[in-house]
PDB file of all heavy atoms in Angstrom:
ATOM      1  N   LYS B  68      42.875 -27.101  64.730  1.00  0.00           N
ATOM      2  CA  LYS B  68      42.683 -28.499  64.848  1.00  0.00           C
ATOM      3  C   LYS B  68      42.978 -29.055  66.274  1.00  0.00           C
ATOM      4  O   LYS B  68      42.666 -30.006  66.647  1.00  0.00           O
ATOM      5  CB  LYS B  68      43.484 -29.385  63.895  1.00  0.00           C
ATOM      6  CG  LYS B  68      44.945 -29.237  64.153  1.00  0.00           C
ATOM      7  CD  LYS B  68      45.625 -29.805  62.882  1.00  0.00           C
ATOM      8  CE  LYS B  68      47.176 -29.998  63.121  1.00  0.00           C
ATOM      9  NZ  LYS B  68      47.456 -31.328  63.466  1.00  0.00           N
ATOM     10  N   ASP B  69      43.771 -28.047  66.909  1.00  0.00           N
ATOM     11  CA  ASP B  69      44.086 -28.589  68.352  1.00  0.00           C
ATOM     12  C   ASP B  69      44.572 -27.234  69.156  1.00  0.00           C
ATOM     13  O   ASP B  69      44.673 -26.227  68.512  1.00  0.00           O
ATOM     14  CB  ASP B  69      45.219 -29.533  68.478  1.00  0.00           C
ATOM     15  CG  ASP B  69      46.413 -29.389  67.566  1.00  0.00           C
ATOM     16  OD1 ASP B  69      46.531 -28.132  67.288  1.00  0.00           O
ATOM     17  OD2 ASP B  69      47.066 -30.217  67.165  1.00  0.00           O
ATOM     18  N   ILE B  70      45.005 -27.379  70.340  1.00  0.00           N
ATOM     19  CA  ILE B  70      45.355 -26.291  71.021  1.00  0.00           C
ATOM     20  C   ILE B  70      46.578 -25.406  70.488  1.00  0.00           C
ATOM     21  O   ILE B  70      46.600 -24.272  70.404  1.00  0.00           O
ATOM     22  CB  ILE B  70      45.499 -26.476  72.540  1.00  0.00           C
ATOM     23  CG1 ILE B  70      44.287 -26.994  73.038  1.00  0.00           C
ATOM     24  CG2 ILE B  70      46.083 -25.418  73.361  1.00  0.00           C
ATOM     25  CD1 ILE B  70      44.277 -27.812  74.472  1.00  0.00           C
ATOM     26  N   GLU B  71      47.570 -26.296  70.006  1.00  0.00           N
ATOM     27  CA  GLU B  71      48.846 -25.592  69.560  1.00  0.00           C
ATOM     28  C   GLU B  71      48.435 -24.750  68.390  1.00  0.00           C
ATOM     29  O   GLU B  71      48.983 -23.572  68.230  1.00  0.00           O
ATOM     30  CB  GLU B  71      49.875 -26.557  69.143  1.00  0.00           C
ATOM     31  CG  GLU B  71      50.610 -27.290  70.266  1.00  0.00           C
ATOM     32  CD  GLU B  71      49.687 -28.583  70.841  1.00  0.00           C
ATOM     33  OE1 GLU B  71      48.711 -28.884  70.298  1.00  0.00           O
ATOM     34  OE2 GLU B  71      50.180 -29.182  71.787  1.00  0.00           O
ATOM     35  N   SER B  72      47.634 -25.343  67.339  1.00  0.00           N
ATOM     36  CA  SER B  72      47.369 -24.507  66.200  1.00  0.00           C
ATOM     37  C   SER B  72      46.445 -23.426  66.482  1.00  0.00           C
ATOM     38  O   SER B  72      46.449 -22.400  65.854  1.00  0.00           O
ATOM     39  CB  SER B  72      46.846 -25.465  65.066  1.00  0.00           C
ATOM     40  OG  SER B  72      45.621 -26.104  65.553  1.00  0.00           O
ATOM     41  N   ALA B  73      45.558 -23.516  67.477  1.00  0.00           N
ATOM     42  CA  ALA B  73      44.749 -22.439  67.943  1.00  0.00           C
ATOM     43  C   ALA B  73      45.603 -21.338  68.523  1.00  0.00           C
ATOM     44  O   ALA B  73      45.396 -20.127  68.170  1.00  0.00           O
ATOM     45  CB  ALA B  73      43.794 -22.910  69.048  1.00  0.00           C
ATOM     46  N   ILE B  74      46.727 -21.578  69.195  1.00  0.00           N
ATOM     47  CA  ILE B  74      47.615 -20.613  69.671  1.00  0.00           C
ATOM     48  C   ILE B  74      48.234 -19.913  68.529  1.00  0.00           C
ATOM     49  O   ILE B  74      48.430 -18.602  68.490  1.00  0.00           O
ATOM     50  CB  ILE B  74      48.593 -21.111  70.673  1.00  0.00           C
ATOM     51  CG1 ILE B  74      47.859 -21.727  71.925  1.00  0.00           C
ATOM     52  CG2 ILE B  74      49.719 -20.173  70.998  1.00  0.00           C
ATOM     53  CD1 ILE B  74      48.762 -22.389  72.898  1.00  0.00           C
ATOM     54  N   LEU B  75      48.763 -20.623  67.496  1.00  0.00           N
ATOM     55  CA  LEU B  75      49.399 -20.003  66.285  1.00  0.00           C
ATOM     56  C   LEU B  75      48.319 -19.084  65.628  1.00  0.00           C
ATOM     57  O   LEU B  75      48.745 -17.830  65.326  1.00  0.00           O
ATOM     58  CB  LEU B  75      49.874 -21.062  65.319  1.00  0.00           C
ATOM     59  CG  LEU B  75      51.098 -21.828  65.647  1.00  0.00           C
ATOM     60  CD1 LEU B  75      51.384 -22.808  64.587  1.00  0.00           C
ATOM     61  CD2 LEU B  75      52.324 -20.842  65.954  1.00  0.00           C
ATOM     62  N   SER B  76      47.114 -19.443  65.474  1.00  0.00           N
ATOM     63  CA  SER B  76      46.194 -18.650  64.855  1.00  0.00           C
ATOM     64  C   SER B  76      45.905 -17.332  65.691  1.00  0.00           C
ATOM     65  O   SER B  76      45.808 -16.268  65.129  1.00  0.00           O
ATOM     66  CB  SER B  76      44.759 -19.468  64.897  1.00  0.00           C
ATOM     67  OG  SER B  76      44.344 -19.503  63.578  1.00  0.00           O
ATOM     68  N   MET B  77      45.926 -17.526  67.067  1.00  0.00           N
ATOM     69  CA  MET B  77      45.600 -16.360  67.967  1.00  0.00           C
ATOM     70  C   MET B  77      46.772 -15.373  67.773  1.00  0.00           C
ATOM     71  O   MET B  77      46.632 -14.171  67.763  1.00  0.00           O
ATOM     72  CB  MET B  77      45.585 -16.924  69.434  1.00  0.00           C
ATOM     73  CG  MET B  77      44.340 -17.523  69.830  1.00  0.00           C
ATOM     74  SD  MET B  77      44.490 -18.342  71.374  1.00  0.00           S
ATOM     75  CE  MET B  77      44.597 -16.862  72.473  1.00  0.00           C
ATOM     76  N   ARG B  78      48.053 -16.005  67.714  1.00  0.00           N
ATOM     77  CA  ARG B  78      49.178 -15.099  67.595  1.00  0.00           C
ATOM     78  C   ARG B  78      49.021 -14.182  66.370  1.00  0.00           C
ATOM     79  O   ARG B  78      49.414 -12.967  66.417  1.00  0.00           O
ATOM     80  CB  ARG B  78      50.497 -15.917  67.584  1.00  0.00           C
ATOM     81  CG  ARG B  78      50.748 -16.511  69.019  1.00  0.00           C
ATOM     82  CD  ARG B  78      51.342 -15.517  69.972  1.00  0.00           C
ATOM     83  NE  ARG B  78      52.353 -14.595  69.498  1.00  0.00           N
ATOM     84  CZ  ARG B  78      53.658 -14.871  69.549  1.00  0.00           C
ATOM     85  NH1 ARG B  78      54.117 -15.973  70.052  1.00  0.00           N
ATOM     86  NH2 ARG B  78      54.449 -13.949  68.936  1.00  0.00           N
ATOM     87  N   LEU B  79      48.716 -14.796  65.261  1.00  0.00           N
ATOM     88  CA  LEU B  79      48.559 -13.997  63.980  1.00  0.00           C
ATOM     89  C   LEU B  79      47.427 -12.963  64.137  1.00  0.00           C
ATOM     90  O   LEU B  79      47.688 -11.804  63.763  1.00  0.00           O
ATOM     91  CB  LEU B  79      48.118 -14.906  62.813  1.00  0.00           C
ATOM     92  CG  LEU B  79      48.411 -14.214  61.347  1.00  0.00           C
ATOM     93  CD1 LEU B  79      49.660 -13.810  61.072  1.00  0.00           C
ATOM     94  CD2 LEU B  79      47.760 -15.150  60.355  1.00  0.00           C
ATOM     95  N   ARG B  80      46.426 -13.341  64.730  1.00  0.00           N
ATOM     96  CA  ARG B  80      45.358 -12.377  65.065  1.00  0.00           C
ATOM     97  C   ARG B  80      45.769 -11.167  65.794  1.00  0.00           C
ATOM     98  O   ARG B  80      45.583 -10.068  65.589  1.00  0.00           O
ATOM     99  CB  ARG B  80      44.131 -13.036  65.657  1.00  0.00           C
ATOM    100  CG  ARG B  80      42.811 -12.559  65.623  1.00  0.00           C
ATOM    101  CD  ARG B  80      41.779 -13.520  66.099  1.00  0.00           C
ATOM    102  NE  ARG B  80      41.694 -14.674  65.155  1.00  0.00           N
ATOM    103  CZ  ARG B  80      41.674 -15.952  65.551  1.00  0.00           C
ATOM    104  NH1 ARG B  80      42.018 -16.325  66.702  1.00  0.00           N
ATOM    105  NH2 ARG B  80      41.489 -16.895  64.567  1.00  0.00           N
ATOM    106  N   GLN B  81      46.483 -11.571  66.956  1.00  0.00           N
ATOM    107  CA  GLN B  81      47.066 -10.506  67.834  1.00  0.00           C
ATOM    108  C   GLN B  81      47.992  -9.571  67.101  1.00  0.00           C
ATOM    109  O   GLN B  81      48.091  -8.384  67.372  1.00  0.00           O
ATOM    110  CB  GLN B  81      47.578 -11.076  69.175  1.00  0.00           C
ATOM    111  CG  GLN B  81      46.544 -11.714  70.069  1.00  0.00           C
ATOM    112  CD  GLN B  81      47.204 -12.825  70.990  1.00  0.00           C
ATOM    113  OE1 GLN B  81      48.384 -13.044  70.873  1.00  0.00           O
ATOM    114  NE2 GLN B  81      46.314 -13.332  71.709  1.00  0.00           N
ATOM    115  N   PHE B  82      48.833 -10.137  66.402  1.00  0.00           N
ATOM    116  CA  PHE B  82      49.912  -9.438  65.531  1.00  0.00           C
ATOM    117  C   PHE B  82      49.262  -8.378  64.650  1.00  0.00           C
ATOM    118  O   PHE B  82      49.505  -7.165  64.770  1.00  0.00           O
ATOM    119  CB  PHE B  82      50.739 -10.534  64.743  1.00  0.00           C
ATOM    120  CG  PHE B  82      52.008  -9.879  64.148  1.00  0.00           C
ATOM    121  CD1 PHE B  82      52.541  -8.719  64.585  1.00  0.00           C
ATOM    122  CD2 PHE B  82      52.695 -10.687  63.207  1.00  0.00           C
ATOM    123  CE1 PHE B  82      53.764  -8.247  64.070  1.00  0.00           C
ATOM    124  CE2 PHE B  82      53.871 -10.275  62.624  1.00  0.00           C
ATOM    125  CZ  PHE B  82      54.391  -9.100  63.041  1.00  0.00           C
ATOM    126  N   HIS B  83      48.111  -8.906  63.986  1.00  0.00           N
ATOM    127  CA  HIS B  83      47.353  -8.037  63.229  1.00  0.00           C
ATOM    128  C   HIS B  83      46.725  -6.833  64.067  1.00  0.00           C
ATOM    129  O   HIS B  83      46.775  -5.639  63.646  1.00  0.00           O
ATOM    130  CB  HIS B  83      46.276  -8.751  62.472  1.00  0.00           C
ATOM    131  CG  HIS B  83      45.240  -7.832  61.886  1.00  0.00           C
ATOM    132  ND1 HIS B  83      45.447  -6.771  61.113  1.00  0.00           N
ATOM    133  CD2 HIS B  83      43.872  -7.883  62.199  1.00  0.00           C
ATOM    134  CE1 HIS B  83      44.329  -6.239  60.807  1.00  0.00           C
ATOM    135  NE2 HIS B  83      43.363  -6.831  61.453  1.00  0.00           N
TER     136      HIS B  83
END
Side-chain angles (χ1 to χ4, degrees):
Chain B
K68 69 194 188 98
D69 52 22
I70 293 166
E71 289 87 2
S72 57
I74 292 172
L75 286 180
S76 234
M77 285 169 66
R78 289 286 314 271
L79 186 67
R80 201 168 288 127
Q81 288 159 359
F82 194 13
H83 162 59

